[in-house]
Amino acid sequence: MASILLKNVVKSFGTFVGVQDMNLDVVDEEFLVLLGPSGCGKTTTMRMIAGLEHPTEGEIRIGDALMNDIDARDRDVAMVFQGYALYPNMSIYENIRFPLRMRQVPKAKHDDLIRRAAEMVELGPFLDRKPGALSGGQRQRAALARAIVRQPQVFLMDEPLSNLDAKLRASMRVQIKHMQRELKVTTVYVTHDQIEAMTLADRIVIMNKGVIQQIGTPDDIYSNPANTFVAGFIGSPPMNLIAGTAQSGTFSSAGVRVPCPANLSGNITLGIRPEDCQIGGDNLQGQVYGVEPTGDITYLTVRTANKNIEIKAGREFRAPIDSAISVGFDTSRLYFFGEDGSRVGVN
Amino acid sequence: MASVRKSGGDNLLVRYIILGSWAMVCLVPILWFLTIGFRPRTEIIVPEPIYWPTWSLDAWRLLVSDWPIALYLRNSVLAVAGSVLIDLVLAIPAAFALARYEFKGREDIGFYILSTRMMAPAIVAVPIFFLFKNIGLLDSVWALMLIYAAINLSLVTWIIRSYMLDIPKELEDAARTDGADDLTILWEIMIPACLPGIITAAVIAAIFAINEFLFTLLIASTSKAYTMSVALANFTGGSDGVIYNAIALVSFIAFAPILILVILIQKHLSRGLTMGAVKG
């Protein structure tokens, strides 16, 4: 159990800068999720914590110890990989045992530890199979068991669920969260799936192009996005971002008119979440572009002169394509972003 | 659904007839040559071919009594097996380094190793002869073992390297975070994971070594170090004239192990011969 500290960490590959001047403090026992699109530097950050990549500049500490020159094998971190990375020639039992052997855990303890780890991920009956004879979900659980068996200081998980189907992903998600709470091991988890990030994390770090965009609890990130990137990345569908102008307390764009803080002026981007819009109202006028019923909710796309706006309508909402529609916004939940994309005021 | 191709009886039969005929064309010379080994000498050189032989073990008896076939076989097996073993011991760590370590000139070194294979053997024949003469290893199976190993080392390294490149890097990363050092990763992860490649490389090296002729002829000046390939070339029957049935039998004995090896690994063989040109 340990905290992790990244101080002014830079990682460049030749001229390409993968991670720029990163500062991050992971608290002991925390579940921290690194979230961002592919190529944003999240996996590189994790590999630097693991010791599989070396930072070009900056410090990495686990607990109080400086890790920059410590080999991956001496860092006492356990990593779960996207492709499971089970040793194909060894049985599941031997796979889980491998880290124990490598770390000279007394042999007498092996069997007990392995069986306990396997029980925890419900793999008990499969211990003598080879990885090739297991399903994707079972393989991923075997990889988890191999990570937890030696009770490391830190868990690192690199998109561990992305090779699984949706249903399995949901159940594994719960299992991982439960396991982390039970073992109380500081965990860094990399994903590009915002649902995973929202459901698992104590705190989320949103990254783009090697730079941290925002660090916060899932609620915080959802309710108070720091900039248009975060606003447009989180939420399903994500926040509607409408470019327009603000003048004397009113924001306007083609077909859109809402009140805004009086101190805003010039080019402003308005953000409104799909669930904060309702049918009927006078903030937006447009035509119905598409109606997508999903059972519990109906997604409505409204076309305005500039942009299509996504709205979550009631489950029974239906409307013919191209019919005129007016939409009201919950004006207490409007977001405004300046020209550089950063947040400028909440109404 | 796409239209179902007609693959009924007629079509299949035609295909089998064509393939079967071609198989016969390829196999008949080998079978014919095998029958020669089991015919009496009088039935071989005749004006009209005799298709159904009178079976005879004359050639076999002649070989066992007059010819040190056991010695030649032993020399072949010893030199070939030893050379393959030397190749594997040297090539596996080299392939691992070339596949996984980042160092300056890695690709150049890799290509240099392979390029030694492209040299015409005759160029080095004389220097090699003197080299072995000076260290007193002429006419010795040990010399052959070393030469075969040297000839095939580049190929074996290259084939194993290509298999190692196909092993996901994640496996190695996982082992490293689990606490393994490089040697453990090589021994416990990489070698088992690319075992098919190692076996393929070993078999290909064995085939080349069994067939090696030039250097064997050069080094093995007396029958003490003859292997099957050179013994076969020298085997004519001496004062008895050319004994074709015995030659056929010896040829078959020399050829059988290769045939068996190729059948055992044919699935991997084409892959090994492309030497990683097409990465999976």
Side-chain angles (χ1 to χ4, degrees), chain A residues 189-245:
Chain A
Y189 186 107
V190 161
T191 182
H192 61 265
D193 180 344
Q194 49 157 319
I195 302 293
E196 267 172 40
M198 297 293 281
T199 51
L200 287 170
D202 292 323
R203 283 192 304 158
I204 298 177
V205 178
I206 300 207
M207 294 183 70
N208 187 32
K209 295 182 180 159
V211 179
I212 293 181
Q213 303 292 315
Q214 187 171 2
I215 306 179
T217 63
D219 287 341
D220 195 27
I221 293 222
Y222 192 82
S223 314
N224 293 303
N227 55 38
T228 46
F229 177 82
V230 176
F233 195 76
I234 292 282
S236 172
M239 186 182 280
N240 294 299
L241 296 169
I242 307 163
T245 50

Coordinates of all heavy atoms in Angstrom, one line a residue, chain A residues 189-245:
Chain A
Y189 N -5.6 2.9 -13.2 CA -6.3 2.2 -14.2 C -6.4 3.0 -15.4 O -6.9 4.2 -15.4 CB -7.7 1.9 -13.6 CG -8.7 1.0 -14.4 CD1 -8.9 -0.3 -14.0 CD2 -9.3 1.5 -15.5 CE1 -9.8 -1.1 -14.7 CE2 -10.2 0.7 -16.3 CZ -10.4 -0.6 -15.8 OH -11.3 -1.4 -16.5
V190 N -6.0 2.5 -16.6 CA -6.1 3.2 -17.8 C -7.2 2.8 -18.7 O -7.4 1.6 -18.8 CB -4.7 3.0 -18.6 CG1 -4.9 3.4 -20.1 CG2 -3.6 3.9 -18.0
T191 N -8.0 3.7 -19.2 CA -9.1 3.3 -20.1 C -9.4 4.5 -21.0 O -9.0 5.6 -20.8 CB -10.3 2.9 -19.3 OG1 -11.3 2.5 -20.2 CG2 -10.9 4.1 -18.5
H192 N -10.0 4.1 -22.2 CA -10.6 5.2 -23.0 C -12.1 5.2 -22.9 O -12.8 5.9 -23.6 CB -10.1 5.1 -24.4 CG -10.6 3.8 -25.1 ND1 -9.8 2.7 -25.1 CD2 -11.7 3.4 -25.6 CE1 -10.5 1.7 -25.7 NE2 -11.6 2.1 -26.0
D193 N -12.6 4.3 -22.0 CA -14.1 4.1 -21.9 C -14.6 5.0 -20.7 O -14.2 4.7 -19.5 CB -14.4 2.6 -21.7 CG -15.8 2.4 -21.5 OD1 -16.6 3.3 -21.3 OD2 -16.2 1.2 -21.7
Q194 N -15.3 6.0 -21.0 CA -15.7 6.9 -19.9 C -16.7 6.2 -18.9 O -16.6 6.6 -17.7 CB -16.4 8.1 -20.5 CG -17.5 7.8 -21.5 CD -18.4 8.9 -21.6 OE1 -18.8 9.5 -20.6 NE2 -18.8 9.2 -22.8
I195 N -17.4 5.2 -19.3 CA -18.3 4.6 -18.4 C -17.4 3.8 -17.3 O -17.7 3.9 -16.1 CB -19.2 3.5 -19.1 CG1 -20.1 4.2 -20.1 CG2 -20.1 2.8 -18.1 CD1 -21.1 5.2 -19.6
E196 N -16.4 3.1 -17.8 CA -15.5 2.5 -16.9 C -14.9 3.5 -15.9 O -14.8 3.3 -14.7 CB -14.3 1.8 -17.6 CG -14.6 0.4 -18.0 CD -13.5 -0.2 -18.9 OE1 -12.3 0.1 -18.7 OE2 -13.9 -1.0 -19.8
A197 N -14.5 4.6 -16.4 CA -13.8 5.6 -15.6 C -14.8 6.2 -14.6 O -14.5 6.2 -13.4 CB -13.3 6.8 -16.5
M198 N -16.0 6.5 -15.0 CA -17.0 7.0 -14.1 C -17.4 6.0 -13.0 O -17.5 6.4 -11.8 CB -18.3 7.5 -14.8 CG -18.1 8.5 -15.8 SD -17.7 10.1 -15.2 CE -19.3 10.7 -14.6
T199 N -17.5 4.8 -13.4 CA -18.0 3.8 -12.4 C -16.9 3.3 -11.4 O -17.2 3.0 -10.3 CB -18.6 2.6 -13.1 OG1 -17.7 2.1 -14.0 CG2 -19.9 2.9 -13.8
L200 N -15.7 3.3 -11.9 CA -14.6 2.7 -11.1 C -13.9 3.7 -10.2 O -13.5 3.4 -9.1 CB -13.6 2.0 -11.9 CG -14.0 0.7 -12.6 CD1 -13.0 0.3 -13.6 CD2 -14.2 -0.4 -11.6
A201 N -13.8 5.0 -10.7 CA -12.7 5.8 -10.1 C -13.2 6.5 -8.8 O -14.3 6.8 -8.6 CB -12.4 6.9 -11.1
D202 N -12.2 6.7 -7.9 CA -12.3 7.7 -6.9 C -12.1 9.0 -7.5 O -12.8 10.0 -7.2 CB -11.3 7.4 -5.7 CG -11.6 6.1 -5.0 OD1 -12.8 5.8 -4.8 OD2 -10.6 5.4 -4.6
R203 N -11.0 9.1 -8.3 CA -10.7 10.3 -9.0 C -10.4 9.9 -10.5 O -9.8 8.9 -10.7 CB -9.6 11.1 -8.4 CG -10.0 11.9 -7.2 CD -8.9 12.8 -6.8 NE -7.6 12.2 -6.6 CZ -6.4 12.8 -6.7 NH1 -6.3 14.1 -7.0 NH2 -5.3 12.1 -6.5
I204 N -10.7 10.8 -11.4 CA -10.4 10.6 -12.8 C -9.4 11.7 -13.2 O -9.5 12.8 -12.8 CB -11.7 10.8 -13.7 CG1 -12.7 9.7 -13.3 CG2 -11.3 10.7 -15.2 CD1 -14.0 9.8 -14.1
V205 N -8.4 11.2 -14.0 CA -7.5 12.2 -14.6 C -7.8 12.1 -16.1 O -7.7 11.1 -16.8 CB -6.0 11.7 -14.4 CG1 -5.1 12.7 -15.1 CG2 -5.7 11.7 -12.9
I206 N -8.2 13.3 -16.7 CA -8.5 13.3 -18.1 C -7.3 13.8 -18.8 O -6.8 14.9 -18.5 CB -9.7 14.1 -18.4 CG1 -10.9 13.5 -17.7 CG2 -10.0 14.2 -19.9 CD1 -12.2 13.7 -18.3
M207 N -6.8 13.1 -19.8 CA -5.6 13.5 -20.5 C -5.9 13.7 -22.0 O -6.8 13.0 -22.6 CB -4.5 12.4 -20.4 CG -4.0 12.3 -19.0 SD -2.7 11.1 -19.0 CE -1.4 11.9 -19.8
N208 N -5.2 14.6 -22.6 CA -5.3 14.8 -24.1 C -3.9 15.3 -24.6 O -3.4 16.2 -24.0 CB -6.4 15.8 -24.5 CG -6.6 15.8 -26.0 OD1 -6.4 14.8 -26.6 ND2 -7.0 17.0 -26.5
K209 N -3.4 14.6 -25.6 CA -2.1 15.0 -26.2 C -1.0 15.2 -25.2 O -0.3 16.2 -25.2 CB -2.3 16.3 -27.0 CG -3.2 16.1 -28.2 CD -3.3 17.4 -29.0 CE -4.3 17.2 -30.2 NZ -4.8 18.4 -30.7
G210 N -1.0 14.3 -24.2 CA 0.1 14.3 -23.3 C 0.0 15.3 -22.1 O 0.8 15.4 -21.3
V211 N -1.2 16.0 -22.1 CA -1.4 17.0 -21.0 C -2.6 16.6 -20.2 O -3.6 16.2 -20.8 CB -1.6 18.4 -21.7 CG1 -1.8 19.4 -20.6 CG2 -0.4 18.7 -22.6
I212 N -2.5 16.8 -18.9 CA -3.7 16.6 -18.0 C -4.6 17.7 -18.2 O -4.3 18.9 -18.2 CB -3.2 16.5 -16.5 CG1 -2.4 15.3 -16.3 CG2 -4.4 16.5 -15.6 CD1 -1.9 15.2 -14.9
Q213 N -5.9 17.4 -18.5 CA -6.9 18.4 -18.8 C -7.6 18.7 -17.5 O -8.0 19.8 -17.2 CB -7.9 17.9 -19.8 CG -7.3 17.5 -21.1 CD -6.8 18.7 -21.9 OE1 -7.4 19.7 -21.9 NE2 -5.5 18.6 -22.4
Q214 N -7.9 17.7 -16.7 CA -8.6 17.9 -15.4 C -8.4 16.7 -14.5 O -8.4 15.6 -15.0 CB -10.1 18.1 -15.7 CG -10.9 18.5 -14.5 CD -12.3 18.9 -14.8 OE1 -12.8 18.9 -16.0 NE2 -13.1 19.3 -13.8
I215 N -8.3 16.9 -13.2 CA -8.3 15.9 -12.2 C -9.5 16.1 -11.3 O -9.6 17.2 -10.8 CB -7.0 15.9 -11.4 CG1 -5.8 15.8 -12.4 CG2 -7.0 14.7 -10.5 CD1 -4.5 15.8 -11.6
G216 N -10.3 15.1 -11.0 CA -11.4 15.3 -10.1 C -12.2 14.1 -9.9 O -12.0 13.0 -10.6
T217 N -13.1 14.1 -9.0 CA -14.0 13.0 -8.8 C -14.9 12.9 -10.0 O -15.1 13.8 -10.7 CB -14.9 13.2 -7.5 OG1 -15.7 14.3 -7.8 CG2 -14.1 13.4 -6.3
P218 N -15.5 11.7 -10.2 CA -16.4 11.6 -11.4 C -17.5 12.6 -11.4 O -17.8 13.2 -12.4 CB -16.9 10.1 -11.2 CG -15.9 9.4 -10.5 CD -15.3 10.4 -9.6
D219 N -18.1 12.9 -10.2 CA -19.2 13.9 -10.2 C -18.7 15.2 -10.6 O -19.3 16.0 -11.3 CB -19.7 13.9 -8.7 CG -20.6 12.7 -8.4 OD1 -21.0 12.1 -9.4 OD2 -20.8 12.4 -7.2
D220 N -17.5 15.5 -10.0 CA -16.9 16.8 -10.3 C -16.6 17.0 -11.8 O -16.9 18.1 -12.3 CB -15.6 16.9 -9.5 CG -15.1 18.3 -9.4 OD1 -15.9 19.2 -9.4 OD2 -13.8 18.5 -9.2
I221 N -16.1 16.0 -12.4 CA -15.7 16.1 -13.8 C -17.0 16.2 -14.6 O -17.0 16.9 -15.6 CB -14.9 14.8 -14.2 CG1 -13.5 14.9 -13.5 CG2 -14.8 14.7 -15.7 CD1 -12.3 14.6 -14.3
Y222 N -18.0 15.5 -14.2 CA -19.2 15.5 -15.0 C -19.9 16.9 -14.8 O -20.4 17.5 -15.8 CB -20.2 14.4 -14.5 CG -21.3 14.2 -15.5 CD1 -21.2 13.4 -16.6 CD2 -22.6 14.7 -15.2 CE1 -22.2 13.2 -17.5 CE2 -23.6 14.5 -16.0 CZ -23.4 13.8 -17.2 OH -24.5 13.6 -18.1
S223 N -19.9 17.4 -13.6 CA -20.7 18.6 -13.3 C -19.9 19.9 -13.6 O -20.5 20.9 -13.8 CB -21.2 18.6 -11.9 OG -21.7 17.4 -11.5
N224 N -18.6 19.8 -13.4 CA -17.8 21.0 -13.6 C -16.6 20.8 -14.6 O -15.5 20.8 -14.2 CB -17.2 21.4 -12.2 CG -18.3 21.9 -11.3 OD1 -19.1 22.8 -11.7 ND2 -18.5 21.3 -10.2
P225 N -16.9 20.5 -15.8 CA -15.8 20.3 -16.7 C -14.9 21.5 -16.9 O -15.5 22.6 -17.0 CB -16.5 19.9 -18.1 CG -17.8 20.5 -17.9 CD -18.2 20.5 -16.5
A226 N -13.6 21.3 -16.9 CA -12.7 22.5 -16.9 C -12.6 23.1 -18.3 O -12.3 24.3 -18.4 CB -11.3 22.0 -16.4
N227 N -12.9 22.3 -19.3 CA -12.8 22.9 -20.6 C -13.6 22.2 -21.6 O -14.2 21.1 -21.3 CB -11.3 23.0 -21.1 CG -10.6 21.6 -21.0 OD1 -11.3 20.6 -21.3 ND2 -9.4 21.6 -20.6
T228 N -13.6 22.6 -22.9 CA -14.5 22.0 -23.9 C -14.0 20.5 -24.2 O -14.9 19.7 -24.5 CB -14.4 22.8 -25.2 OG1 -13.1 23.1 -25.5 CG2 -15.2 24.0 -25.1
F229 N -12.7 20.2 -24.0 CA -12.3 18.9 -24.3 C -13.0 17.9 -23.3 O -13.5 16.9 -23.7 CB -10.8 18.7 -24.2 CG -10.3 17.3 -24.4 CD1 -10.2 16.8 -25.7 CD2 -10.1 16.5 -23.3 CE1 -9.9 15.5 -25.9 CE2 -9.7 15.2 -23.5 CZ -9.6 14.7 -24.8
V230 N -12.9 18.3 -22.0 CA -13.5 17.4 -21.0 C -15.0 17.3 -21.2 O -15.6 16.3 -21.1 CB -13.1 17.9 -19.6 CG1 -13.8 17.1 -18.5 CG2 -11.6 17.9 -19.4
A231 N -15.6 18.5 -21.4 CA -17.1 18.6 -21.6 C -17.5 17.7 -22.8 O -18.5 17.0 -22.7 CB -17.5 20.0 -21.9
G232 N -16.7 17.7 -23.9 CA -17.1 16.9 -25.0 C -16.7 15.5 -24.9 O -17.1 14.7 -25.8
F233 N -15.9 15.1 -23.9 CA -15.4 13.7 -23.8 C -16.3 12.9 -22.9 O -16.5 11.7 -23.1 CB -13.9 13.7 -23.3 CG -13.2 12.4 -23.6 CD1 -12.8 12.1 -24.8 CD2 -13.0 11.6 -22.5 CE1 -12.2 10.8 -25.0 CE2 -12.4 10.3 -22.7 CZ -12.0 10.0 -24.0
I234 N -16.7 13.6 -21.8 CA -17.5 12.9 -20.8 C -19.0 13.0 -21.0 O -19.5 14.1 -21.4 CB -17.1 13.5 -19.4 CG1 -15.7 13.1 -19.0 CG2 -18.1 13.0 -18.3 CD1 -15.5 11.7 -18.6
G235 N -19.7 11.9 -20.8 CA -21.2 11.9 -21.0 C -21.5 11.2 -22.3 O -20.7 11.1 -23.2
S236 N -22.7 10.5 -22.3 CA -23.0 9.7 -23.4 C -24.5 10.0 -23.7 O -25.4 9.5 -23.0 CB -22.8 8.3 -23.1 OG -23.3 7.5 -24.1
P237 N -24.9 10.7 -24.8 CA -24.0 11.5 -25.6 C -23.3 12.6 -24.8 O -23.8 13.0 -23.8 CB -24.9 12.0 -26.7 CG -26.3 11.6 -26.4 CD -26.3 10.9 -25.1
P238 N -22.2 13.1 -25.3 CA -21.5 14.1 -24.6 C -22.2 15.5 -24.6 O -23.2 15.6 -25.3 CB -20.1 14.2 -25.3 CG -20.4 13.7 -26.7 CD -21.4 12.7 -26.6
M239 N -21.7 16.4 -23.9 CA -22.3 17.7 -23.8 C -22.4 18.4 -25.2 O -21.4 18.3 -26.0 CB -21.4 18.6 -22.9 CG -22.0 20.0 -22.6 SD -20.9 20.9 -21.5 CE -21.2 20.3 -19.9
N240 N -23.5 19.0 -25.5 CA -23.6 19.8 -26.7 C -22.8 21.1 -26.6 O -22.9 21.8 -25.6 CB -25.0 20.2 -27.0 CG -25.9 19.0 -27.3 OD1 -25.7 18.3 -28.2 ND2 -26.9 18.8 -26.4
L241 N -21.9 21.3 -27.6 CA -21.1 22.6 -27.5 C -21.5 23.4 -28.7 O -21.5 23.0 -29.9 CB -19.6 22.2 -27.6 CG -19.1 21.4 -26.4 CD1 -17.7 20.8 -26.7 CD2 -19.1 22.2 -25.1
I242 N -22.0 24.6 -28.4 CA -22.6 25.5 -29.5 C -21.8 26.8 -29.5 O -21.7 27.5 -28.5 CB -24.1 25.8 -29.2 CG1 -24.9 24.5 -29.0 CG2 -24.7 26.6 -30.3 CD1 -26.2 24.7 -28.3
A243 N -21.2 27.1 -30.6 CA -20.4 28.3 -30.7 C -21.3 29.5 -31.0 O -22.3 29.4 -31.8 CB -19.4 28.2 -31.9
G244 N -21.0 30.6 -30.4 CA -21.9 31.8 -30.6 C -21.2 33.0 -30.0 O -20.0 33.0 -29.7
T245 N -22.0 34.0 -29.7 CA -21.5 35.2 -29.1 C -22.3 35.6 -27.9 O -23.5 35.4 -27.8 CB -21.5 36.4 -30.1 OG1 -22.8 36.5 -30.6 CG2 -20.5 36.2 -31.2

